[in-house]
Amino acid sequence: MRELEVSKRIRSFDEVALGYNEEEAIAEAERCLQCKNPKCVEGCPVGINIPEFIRHIRNREYEEAIKTIKLANNLPAICGRVCPQENQCEGRCVLGIKGDPINIGGLERFVADLELSRGFEVPEKAPDTGRSVAVIGSGPAGLTAAGDLAKMGHNVVVFEALHEPGGVLTYGIPEFRLPKRIVKAEVGYIEKLGVKIKTDVVVGKTLTIEDLFQEGFDSVFIGTGAGLPAFLNVPGENLCGIYSANEFLIRVNLMKAYKFPYESDTPIKVGSENVVIGGGNVAMDSARCALRLSQKNVTVLYRRTEKEMPARRDEVRRAREEGVNFRFLTQPVGFLGDDRGQVRKVECIRMRLGEPDRSGRPRPIPIEGSNFYVDADAVIVAIGQRPNPMIPKTTPKIKVDERRGTIIVNPETLETSFKGVFAGGDIVTGAATVISAMGAGKKAARSIHKSLIK
Amino acid sequence: VEAPLIAKKAEAGQFVIVRVDERGERIPLTLVDWDKDRGVITLVYQAVGLTTRKLSEKKEGEHILDVVGPLGNPGAAEKFGTVAVIGGGVGVAAAYPRAKQLRQKGNYVISIIGARSSNLLIFEDEMRSVSDELYISTDDGTKGRKGFVSDVLRDLLQEGRKIDYVFAVGPTVMMRAVAKVTKEYQVKTDVSLNPIMVDGTGMCGACRVRVGGETKFTCVDGPEFDGHQVDFEELLTRLNTYREEEAMALERYVKGGGGED
C-alpha cells in the first residue's frame, strides 16, 4: 500500500498509509484463492465473511462488499486501519505460508472508505422491543455492543466520560494512524442506527449503575476499558516533563495540543531529547507524536529486544523510517532533574534475557552495575494500562479480580456478578486490542438480547 | 450553571471539569454551591489565564460547552469539635461548602479568610453566614489583620484556642504555610490540592502528587489530602510546567481581541 513520503509525514499529523485506489484494490482482491475452508475468517475476532467480501470487490460490487462486512463489523474503516491483521485474519491466510498474505485490512478499509465518501445506508433494524440498554463507555467495545443492540431493536444510550466519543480511538490512536474524521463518521453511523450518545457523564460519579436501573434501563453493558496508566514507581518520576502515555496522547489527540496555540488552548511540552519507555503500540504512537511535535531526537527504551516488542511490525518499521531511535535491553531505574524540577536524564540499567516468564517471553534480568544515563528533557512512560477502577470502586456488587483489577464475568454470557450488568473489552481482559474489544461487544450484545427477550 | 445531574450528586469537596468552547482546554473548578431542586451549580473562578478569561466573558444565557462532574471524593464530614476553615484568594469560595457542611455536622466553625488586598476579598458574607467566628487577613493590611491567613491561625493557636481540625483551600503556598503551623501544634489538617488536570477521571496522572511518599492522583484519590503528608515543593514545581505556554496563550487571546484567528 502506498504511504506518505517520510520527509512529508514527519512534518504533519496526516495519515501515513494512503489506502488502495480501485485498480490496486481489485488487483489485490484477485490474488485471493477463495478457500473452501477459509482460515482467515477463523482469525477474525468478529468473524467477517472475508472471501465473500473480497469476491464482491473483484466483481466491483462494492455495495455488496460493505454489506457483507457490516453484517459482522460496525466499524470497518477503523478496523481496516488499526487491527493487528498479522496476528489475526492475515496471519491465517494460506498465501502467507509461501509469500505475502492477502492485505485483508487494506481491502476492508478500501470499501469502508468508499462508503464513507458516499454516505451510509442504514440497514434494516428489528422492530422496537421496548427494552432499553445503557452502555457505559464509547470505545470499541461499547460502540459495537450499542450498534448491534440497536439493530436488534433495543433503545440504546451510550454514556461517555470524556467530551468526545470513541475511547482509545479518539484519545489514544493518533491522527496519522486513524484520522479522527473516520472515527467521527463511524460513530455517526452508530448514531444513525438509533443509538444516543451522552458525553460528559462519568458513570460512578455523575450517575451510578443503580441510578441507571432506576431510570428504567433494563440492562447495562460496561465497556470502560483499561485507562489507568501504569508508572514505573522509580525515583524522580514526578519531575516536570515526565508524562504517562495516556496524558501525552490525550493532549495530542483529543485536545489537539499539536495545534497550540493557534487552534487549541491545550499546551504540550516536548524537548530536544525525547525519551519513550515501552515497546507496545502506545509507545510507538507516543514516539511518533513526539517526533512530529519536536522535530528533534526521539529514543525508545525497551527492556527486551526488538523480537519481543508487542507493537505492530509495520508501525515499528514506520517509526524507524521516521527517525525514531531504539535502545533495547534497557530499563529505567530513575530520573534526574535540574534545580527547576525539570527532568534532564534517565538513569538506566542494562538487561539480559532469561527464561520465559508467564507471558511466554524471555524474562529481562538486570545486569548489576551496568547503570548508565540517557539525556532527556521530555519522557513518556508507555509501559501499559490497567483497567479503569471507577465503576468497580463505586459499585461493590460487581466482583473484581483484585490483583488485575479486571471485572469478573461469566465467560459464556459476559454477565457480571450484578444481575443484568454485562461487561466486555479491556475492563475484563486487561489492555488488549481494538478488535478483541469489538468481539466482546458483539458477544455481550447477543447475550443481553437473549436475556431481554425471554 | 444549569447542570441537574451534577447538582443532584454534588457533595462538599468535589469539583467539576469544564471546557469553554471547541478549541478549549479542560480545567478543574471546585463546586461552590448547588441546588438539587433547581438543578443548578455555582462555580467561582478568578480570571488568571486564557480559559478563566474566556469564562468571565460569558454572559448569562450563554453556554459552557462541557461540564463534567461531580469529580473527586467528598471531604471528611465528621464532628471534630472546633474546626478552622481557611480560604485564601479564590479559594474562599471553595472553602464555603466545607464550612457550611462542617457546621451542619455540629462543629464549632472558625473561618479564616484572606486575600492580597481588601478589594480582592470574596465570599465574606457567605462565609460569615456559615461560621461561628470569622477572621479576615489581607497581605497589604487593607482589611482585617495585615498578613496571611496562616498568621491568624498561628495567633489563635498561640492564644491557646483548642482547634481539633483544620481545612484549608487556596494558593499552594498558603496551604503549605497552614500545614506548617498546624504540624507544630499537631492539629489534623486537610488541604484541597490544585494541580494541573486534564481528564479528571484518573486516566492520565497529570495531577499526580506525592502524599506520604506515595504517588496519588488528585482527581480520584483527592482532591483533599492530609496536609502534613503532602510534598508541597513537588506540587509547586509541577504547577509551573506550562507557565510560558500559559502566558503565550493569554497574550495571543488578548491581542486577538476575542480569540479569532
Side-chain angles (χ1 to χ4, degrees):
Chain A
M1 191 182 287
R2 286 164 293 121
E3 290 184 359
L4 202 62
E5 268 172 60
V6 171
S7 61
K8 275 189 192 148
R9 73 195 200 213
I10 59 171
R11 303 205 175 272
S12 80
F13 277 75
D14 293 346
E15 190 171 20
V16 168
L18 297 174
Y20 285 135
N21 61 31
E22 189 170 357
E23 198 184 329
E24 291 162 345
I26 289 173
E28 183 65 13
E30 278 175 350
R31 293 206 305 125
C32 174
L33 299 177
Q34 294 287 311
C35 302
K36 285 274 174 300
N37 290 309
K39 296 284 174 215
C40 52
V41 178
E42 290 171 22
C44 173
V46 295
I48 296 174
N49 189 338
I50 294 166
E52 187 178 311
F53 97 74
I54 290 183
R55 195 170 59 245
H56 286 308
I57 295 179
R58 268 203 245 203
N59 300 338
R60 298 175 187 254
E61 298 156 357
Y62 306 125
E63 310 260 315
E64 300 304 316
I66 193 71
K67 268 186 199 153
T68 304
I69 293 173
K70 283 212 162 160
L71 283 177
N73 184 354
N74 293 319
L75 309 164
I78 292 168
C79 287
R81 286 173 166 84
V82 303
C83 275
Q85 288 100 358
E86 63 269 31
N87 307 326
Q88 298 174 340
C89 53
E90 293 174 20
R92 305 286 191 92
C93 173
V94 293
L95 284 176
I97 300 169
K98 282 195 174 162
D100 285 338
I102 297 288
N103 189 338
I104 300 166
L107 291 175
E108 180 183 26
R109 170 184 164 165
F110 167 73
V111 278
D113 283 1
L114 208 62
E115 190 196 27
L116 286 184
S117 63
R118 289 178 181 177
F120 296 110
E121 248 181 70
V122 181
E124 257 180 63
K125 292 199 305 182
D128 191 346
T129 60
R131 296 305 184 100
S132 53
V133 183
V135 171
I136 309 171
S138 65
L143 288 177
T144 301
D148 280 7
L149 286 162
K151 284 196 243 173
M152 293 164 181
H154 305 295
N155 301 310
V156 185
V157 181
V158 178
F159 296 94
E160 166 57 46
L162 290 172
H163 58 262
E164 298 258 8
V168 74
L169 308 168
T170 298
Y171 76 75
I173 303 175
E175 189 75 21
F176 54 78
R177 270 213 301 140
L178 178 61
K180 299 311 143 206
R181 64 181 167 79
I182 302 285
V183 180
K184 280 210 170 90
E186 295 220 313
V187 170
Y189 170 73
I190 302 287
E191 288 177 299
K192 275 201 170 161
L193 292 171
V195 172
K196 286 189 194 67
I197 300 180
K198 292 195 173 168
T199 54
D200 294 335
V201 181
V202 185
V203 176
K205 290 283 177 190
T206 316
L207 288 168
T208 63
I209 291 191
E210 281 88 353
D211 291 337
L212 292 173
F213 281 111
Q214 262 181 9
E215 282 192 12
F217 287 101
D218 300 293
S219 194
V220 174
F221 174 73
I222 305 174
T224 48
L228 183 73
F231 282 97
L232 291 150
N233 295 316
V234 297
E237 203 163 14
N238 294 348
L239 287 164
C240 295
I242 303 180
Y243 298 90
S244 73
N246 265 6
E247 179 187 355
F248 187 76
L249 293 174
I250 288 173
R251 284 181 184 271
V252 175
N253 299 323
L254 177 69
M255 306 310 296
K256 306 268 178 274
Y258 60 92
K259 295 181 177 171
F260 178 89
Y262 307 102
E263 292 165 50
S264 165
D265 295 344
T266 302
I268 195 156
K269 241 181 179 159
V270 285
S272 49
E273 295 292 342
N274 303 285
V275 167
V276 176
I277 299 163
N281 286 318
V282 176
M284 293 307 103
D285 288 344
S286 302
R288 297 169 71 198
C289 285
L291 190 87
R292 284 159 171 77
L293 283 162
S294 70
Q295 306 289 326
K296 294 275 167 50
N297 287 336
V298 178
T299 305
V300 172
L301 309 181
Y302 181 51
R303 61 190 181 143
R304 293 187 171 99
T305 71
E306 178 158 11
K307 215 173 85 198
E308 289 82 27
M309 279 175 80
R312 294 188 65 191
R313 295 295 104 184
D314 267 352
E315 303 304 332
V316 178
R317 167 183 58 81
R318 287 170 181 151
R320 222 187 219 114
E321 285 171 5
E322 289 166 9
V324 172
N325 308 305
F326 289 85
R327 289 184 90 142
F328 296 107
L329 294 169
T330 298
Q331 172 75 26
V333 293
F335 299 96
L336 303 181
D338 59 19
D339 51 1
R340 292 180 305 126
Q342 163 66 40
V343 67
R344 287 293 168 215
K345 280 182 194 311
V346 188
E347 184 181 353
C348 301
I349 191 163
R350 258 181 243 297
M351 311 293 274
R352 62 184 173 83
L353 294 183
E355 294 299 306
D357 63 11
R358 258 204 326 253
S359 74
R361 294 176 300 172
R363 183 189 301 278
I365 303 164
I367 302 171
E368 287 295 326
S370 65
N371 297 45
F372 64 103
Y373 295 93
V374 174
D375 287 341
D377 37 27
V379 175
I380 302 150
V381 181
I383 57 166
Q385 287 92 235
R386 285 171 57 82
N388 194 317
M390 184 77 83
I391 287 179
K393 233 164 73 182
T394 52
T395 316
K397 268 170 82 178
I398 292 175
K399 282 215 182 81
V400 177
D401 178 327
E402 294 295 340
R403 195 178 56 82
R404 302 173 63 225
T406 47
I407 290 181
I408 298 170
V409 295
N410 174 340
E412 298 303 314
T413 61
L414 300 187
E415 190 163 14
T416 67
S417 54
F418 190 146
K419 200 175 172 318
V421 178
F422 299 73
D426 285 3
I427 186 74
V428 169
T429 58
T433 60
V434 165
I435 188 74
S436 67
M438 289 186 183
K442 283 200 100 57
K443 190 169 169 183
R446 278 196 300 271
S447 47
I448 290 170
H449 180 64
K450 242 190 203 163
S451 75
L452 289 181
I453 55 164
K454 72 171 174 213
Chain B
V1 183
E2 213 172 297
L5 287 179
I6 301 174
K8 209 165 147 189
K9 277 279 181 342
E11 287 187 63
Q14 293 187 299
F15 64 95
V16 294
I17 292 268
V18 303
R19 190 170 76 117
V20 185
D21 52 28
E22 271 303 326
R23 55 168 291 162
E25 60 179 339
R26 297 166 66 100
I27 64 157
L29 293 172
T30 303
L31 279 160
V32 169
D33 209 352
W34 48 91
D35 185 327
K36 291 184 195 329
D37 301 327
R38 286 170 52 225
V40 172
I41 58 172
T42 305
L43 306 171
V44 175
Y45 48 85
Q46 186 183 358
V48 291
L50 172 60
T51 299
T52 41
R53 170 126 183 184
K54 278 185 181 176
L55 269 176
S56 66
E57 288 167 4
K58 288 266 176 205
K59 294 177 191 69
E60 203 178 321
E62 291 185 342
H63 292 272
I64 300 174
L65 189 58
D66 298 284
V67 184
V68 193
L71 300 170
N73 300 307
E78 298 159 39
K79 179 152 182 192
F80 297 100
T82 301
V83 302
V85 176
I86 305 177
V90 72
V92 179
Y96 167 74
R98 290 285 272 127
K100 183 168 154 187
Q101 169 208 43
L102 285 164
R103 194 152 188 235
Q104 278 164 358
K105 291 277 168 189
N107 292 289
Y108 185 86
V109 175
I110 301 171
S111 291
I112 307 169
I113 61 174
R116 280 208 310 278
S117 184
S118 64
N119 60 332
L120 295 170
L121 190 72
I122 58 166
F123 259 61
E124 184 186 335
D125 294 340
E126 288 88 341
M127 282 302 273
R128 196 179 304 278
S129 73
V130 294
S131 309
D132 295 286
E133 291 173 43
L134 180 81
Y135 298 88
I136 292 169
S137 75
T138 47
D139 298 6
D140 61 4
T142 44
K143 186 158 191 179
R145 185 196 198 284
K146 181 173 159 55
F148 304 122
V149 283
S150 52
D151 297 329
V152 178
L153 177 67
R154 183 181 290 281
D155 292 349
L156 290 170
L157 289 165
Q158 251 167 11
E159 282 166 22
R161 287 293 298 269
K162 191 177 155 334
I163 295 174
D164 303 295
Y165 173 75
V166 171
F167 169 73
V169 54
T172 305
V173 285
M174 171 283 231
M175 293 190 283
R176 178 179 64 178
V178 167
K180 204 172 154 213
V181 171
T182 59
K183 184 142 199 201
E184 255 174 68
Y185 288 87
Q186 297 186 340
V187 183
K188 178 179 160 57
T189 302
D190 285 329
V191 291
S192 179
L193 300 185
N194 53 354
I196 293 171
M197 281 191 195
V198 185
D199 65 283
T201 61
M203 282 179 66
C204 82
C207 65
R208 62 195 192 273
V209 290
R210 201 151 30 182
V211 182
E214 265 182 73
T215 293
K216 301 274 184 194
F217 289 4
T218 304
C219 69
V220 287
D221 300 321
E224 292 185 15
F225 292 106
D226 179 346
H228 300 151
Q229 301 287 323
V230 170
D231 184 339
F232 284 106
E233 309 311 316
E234 184 181 280
L235 174 58
L236 283 165
T237 307
R238 287 182 63 81
L239 279 167
N240 281 329
T241 307
Y242 296 104
R243 177 161 282 187
E244 294 151 34
E245 286 79 3
E246 285 159 4
M248 190 215 302
L250 180 62
E251 196 191 312
R252 266 182 56 84
Y253 181 73
V254 173
K255 276 193 183 150
E260 301 301 323
D261 282 313

